[in-house]
Amino acid sequence: MTKLRIRDAARYLGVSDDTVRRLVDGGTFTRAVDASGRTVVDGRELAAHIRGRGEQLDDPSGTRSSARNRFVGIVTALTVDGVMAQVELQSGPHRVVSLMSAEAVHELGLEVGTVAVASVKATMVSVEVPAEPAP
């Protein structure tokens, strides 16, 4: 199960460390302690909290990429069935769904609460407008 330090949880929520501590004290997140004695929160609880808030996260990868459509988020749902898997990522107000091999899920260590970056490369983008334009 993914456990995140207070400072990391704060970064992904876009709030201060003290705010996360208040959320822990208030019962929003369950307090746990890691092997080093630091307070940590459950990634699943953080994922559920973020899913309802819909705010953009900072890119934790530190890599440079030519991909312009990158969505940083928290894995909020994961279905692994045989050789394939469906991964749902909440990135701010956006829900990104990816189909990949079960092997890739295991190699990446993906689980609900994991911080991940989805890169999207598309050759076609569809734009829609309302049926009747506003006056």
Side-chain angles (χ1 to χ4, degrees), residues 32-124:
V33 178
D34 68 8
S36 299
R38 294 180 293 234
T39 300
V40 293
V41 297
D42 185 336
R44 290 178 186 264
E45 292 178 0
L46 186 66
H49 186 75
I50 287 174
R51 188 175 204 165
R53 294 189 52 201
E55 293 182 12
Q56 183 63 38
L57 301 174
D58 292 330
D59 187 340
S61 66
T63 60
R64 294 174 15 170
S65 173
S66 64
R68 295 296 173 239
N69 300 319
R70 293 171 51 85
F71 297 89
V72 179
I74 299 278
V75 176
T76 57
L78 183 63
T79 304
V80 180
D81 185 22
V83 297
M84 292 303 294
Q86 176 177 309
V87 179
E88 292 185 30
L89 185 78
Q90 189 70 34
S91 176
H94 308 288
R95 178 176 157 256
V96 180
V97 179
S98 177
L99 299 177
M100 65 182 71
S101 70
E103 181 181 20
V105 168
H106 296 300
E107 285 179 0
L108 293 171
L110 294 178
E111 60 183 37
V112 171
T114 301
V115 176
V117 180
S119 294
V120 179
K121 183 71 174 176
T123 57
M124 198 260 322

Side-chain angles (χ1 to χ4, degrees), residues 5-25 29 41:
R5 294 175 58 185
I6 294 289
R7 74 173 184 186
D8 294 329
R11 185 168 51 118
Y12 296 130
L13 287 171
V15 298
S16 70
D17 295 6
D18 288 335
T19 298
V20 174
R21 288 186 189 93
R22 283 191 291 277
L23 291 169
V24 169
D25 292 342
F29 302 122
V41 297

